[in-house]
Amino acid sequence: MAKVPAGVGPRLPQVVVLVGATGDLARRKLLPGLFHLVNAGFIPGCRIIGVSLDDIDTDAFRSLARRALDEFGMRKPNDAEWTRFAAQLEYLPLSAGALPLKAAVDAAEAALGSESQRLHYLSVPPSAALPVVRMLGEAGLVERARIIMEKPFGTDLASAVTLNSKLHEVFSEEQIFRIDHFLGKEPAQNILAFRFANGLFEPIWNRNFIDHVQIDVPETLGLGCRSARKRTRSSAACCR
């Protein structure tokens, strides 16, 4: 795999707290993506602490991550690549609480052996976001941190406003990233390129003339067990 040139990517090592680490998004996108970034040298040093509702240990999480890379990664890692990546993975059940999470992050930072930054990625439903944010605050993991809030951000305008207000009680606006990974896909990016590169459309493609833009992405993957419903034991793993 081609390595990233020096000076590209984060300057400091990263401790990633991945909340929802056993969920569908983590398996399909986040774990393969983190492996790719680490293996390409984009991140100068990294420790990943998986957190979710599942009561498993680090070895089980590493096995889950390996299956995710084999099934959803751009390519399967070789033995040496996997060994390096697996050594950077840890796991903590959400039920452990704030103090064990703080201890795990402290240990990860000590293992990196230099100044580092914290990245909290919340791959959780809106109803679970605030409890996680509060736990991060209780654990004292706000300093030197960024927090990524995966969509949906709330379930309607009122809940989004409330979530935003409560989020600001713990993190400053400069620390918060609200993302929808589908907006980074090529068709969405092409709309921007087409607008600003075309003198005919640029003056009129704005909020004064366009009410909304709808993008439909037909796919075979359904909601499955992502929807809010009573979960059985067998469906629990992919819903976290």
Side-chain angles (χ1 to χ4, degrees):
M1 180 180 292
K3 295 298 181 180
V4 175
V8 178
R11 181 176 60 87
L12 296 174
Q14 305 288 313
V15 176
V16 180
V17 177
L18 178 56
V19 185
T22 61
D24 189 69
L25 178 63
R27 293 187 302 109
R28 290 178 177 274
K29 300 289 185 182
L30 304 181
L31 288 169
L34 285 168
F35 168 77
H36 175 71
L37 293 176
V38 170
N39 196 49
F42 184 83
I43 306 176
C46 185
R47 290 292 186 275
I48 301 167
I49 302 172
V51 179
S52 83
L53 294 175
D54 289 290
D55 188 14
I56 61 175
D57 59 14
T58 294
D59 287 340
F61 178 56
R62 288 172 177 167
S63 296
L64 180 149
R66 180 57 194 259
R67 293 194 300 271
L69 298 185
D70 288 342
E71 186 174 359
F72 301 112
M74 291 186 294
R75 66 174 182 83
K76 293 184 178 181
N78 60 41
D79 290 341
E81 292 169 343
W82 167 247
T83 299
R84 287 193 300 268
F85 185 66
Q88 300 174 32
L89 299 176
E90 297 181 52
Y91 183 84
L92 196 70
L94 190 63
S95 60
L99 292 181
L101 178 59
K102 169 65 172 173
V105 171
D106 288 345
E109 291 176 338
L112 290 171
S114 61
E115 183 183 0
S116 61
Q117 293 178 318
R118 300 160 178 167
L119 175 63
H120 308 309
Y121 196 114
L122 272 60
S123 177
V124 298
S127 59
L130 279 180
V132 172
V133 169
R134 294 190 185 101
M135 184 178 71
L136 293 172
E138 292 171 6
L141 298 176
V142 176
E143 185 181 1
R144 293 182 288 108
R146 300 290 186 269
I147 182 168
I148 297 177
M149 307 290 292
E150 180 65 67
K151 58 92 178 173
F153 191 85
T155 56
D156 54 24
L157 177 58
S159 63
V161 170
T162 299
L163 176 57
N164 204 49
S165 175
K166 296 295 184 181
L167 184 58
H168 282 146
E169 294 178 2
V170 181
F171 290 91
S172 66
E173 179 62 29
E174 291 75 20
Q175 295 176 285
I176 303 168
F177 294 81
R178 307 167 188 82
I179 71 166
D180 182 340
H181 50 275
F182 284 102
L183 294 181
K185 288 187 175 291
E186 187 175 358
Q189 296 297 311
N190 284 345
I191 293 176
L192 295 177
F194 187 71
R195 172 192 175 188
F196 290 108
N198 194 312
L200 175 64
F201 295 111
E202 194 280 330
I204 59 174
W205 277 22
N206 57 55
R207 64 181 181 179
N208 295 322
F209 301 100
I210 296 178
D211 180 75
H212 69 281
V213 175
Q214 178 175 321
I215 302 175
D216 295 325
V217 185
E219 56 183 10
T220 57
L221 177 65
L223 287 176
C225 58
R226 298 181 186 183
S227 60
R229 61 178 174 83
K230 184 176 181 180
R231 298 178 306 211
T232 64
R233 181 180 181 85
S234 63
S235 69
C238 67
C239 291
R240 291 177 174 73

